[in-house]
């Protein structure tokens, strides 16, 4: 997705998160075990602030961030919304070719804009879902989110989980998006944006597939073809 599209998504989903959370800050968030809505909003506030510091101030690592004090609940939505707007302003003004720090190594600033659009979309889903309302992530953003997940999070495996043990084909059924993931060795995944037969296939609407990758929805919400054990181990692999 283009930078302008990502910023529009960030504005839309960031606002949706605030709207859902307002007046519900003590409610539990079932998709984030142990968190209340207040915890979710504050987490997202801190993440937005971190990216502002990384893009605007050139901070070179999470340990170099200037810490921010948690806002009281009666000021939390206001603080979050101000931080969201600050992030949007910084993202809009950032030189798209400027290099910044990331946990994956040096990247262009649009990497962080994409990461924030995707982070905010998933947490907006968390917030809306916690109110008991059914919602989805916009299809084009969700398809882009699958690609972003496979690039940035798939390599970050959890300790002690079994090997995936096969190849995985991911196929969005409502919008363009296909990926085939192979594992030539225990520590390496190869992702190809192509149609190919895998040991298993994970098929569904882009939003459902993305939310399954983020372990927000169970695999029963998407179609599994082939070895269901491979699909389950693939989902469980990533350290989120």
């Amino acid at each position: 997705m283009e930078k302008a599209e990502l910023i529009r998504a960030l504005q839309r989903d960031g606002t949706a998160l605030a709207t859902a959370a307002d007046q519900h800050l003590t409610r539990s968030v079932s998709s984030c075990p142990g968190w209340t809505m207040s915890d979710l909003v504050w987490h997202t506030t801190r993440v937005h602030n971190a990216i502002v510091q990384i893009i605007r101030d050139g901070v070179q690592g999470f340990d170099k961030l200037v810490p921010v004090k948690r806002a009281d609940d009666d000021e939390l939505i206001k603080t979050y919304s101000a931080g969201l707007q600050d992030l949007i302003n910084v993202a809009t003004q950032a030189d798209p070719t400027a290099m910044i720090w990331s946990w994956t190594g040096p990247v262009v600033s649009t990497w962080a804009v994409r990461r924030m659009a995707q982070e905010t979309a998933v947490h907006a889903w968390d917030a809306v879902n916690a109110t008991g309302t059914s919602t989805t992530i916009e299809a084009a953003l969700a398809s882009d989110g699958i690609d972003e997940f496979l690039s940035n999070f798939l390599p970050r495996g959890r300790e002690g989980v079994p090997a995936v043990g096969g190849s995985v084909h991911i196929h969005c059924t409502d919008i363009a998006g296909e990926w085939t993931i192979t594992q030539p060795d225990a520590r390496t995944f190869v992702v190809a944006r192509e149609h190919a037969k895998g040991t298993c296939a994970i098929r569904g609407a882009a939003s459902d597939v993305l939310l399954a990758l983020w372990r927000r929805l169970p695999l029963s919400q998407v179609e599994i073809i082939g070895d269901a054990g491979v699909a389950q181990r693939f989902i469980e692999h990533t350290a989120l």
Side-chain angles (χ1 to χ4, degrees), residues 10 12 59-60 94 107 111 122 131 139 222-223:
L10 177 60
R12 178 195 65 220
V59 169
Q60 296 288 307
V107 294
W111 180 96
V122 171
T131 69
V222 295
E223 182 183 8

Side-chain angles (χ1 to χ4, degrees), residues 155-188:
R156 304 174 71 195
R158 287 196 290 173
E159 294 291 334
V161 296
V164 172
S167 57
V168 178
H169 178 65
I170 295 176
H171 184 180
C172 297
T173 57
D174 60 338
I175 196 167
E178 290 193 71
W179 302 262
T180 299
I181 303 99
T182 54
Q183 193 173 16
D185 60 64
R187 295 183 176 274
T188 306

Side-chain angles (χ1 to χ4, degrees), residues 57-118:
D57 304 329
V59 169
Q60 296 288 307
F62 292 134
D63 60 331
K64 306 295 193 303
L65 293 168
V66 177
V68 289
K69 182 181 178 182
R70 179 164 181 162
D72 294 335
D73 278 4
D74 58 355
E75 291 289 323
L76 184 56
I77 297 298
K78 180 180 177 181
T79 301
Y80 163 82
S81 297
L84 172 65
Q85 190 57 55
D86 196 18
L87 173 60
I88 289 168
N89 292 342
V90 167
T92 300
Q93 296 164 11
D95 177 352
T97 65
M99 301 302 293
I100 61 170
W101 176 88
S102 82
W103 73 77
T104 67
V107 294
V108 292
S109 66
T110 48
W111 180 96
V113 178
R114 187 190 197 198
R115 175 84 288 280
M116 287 302 92
Q118 296 298 340

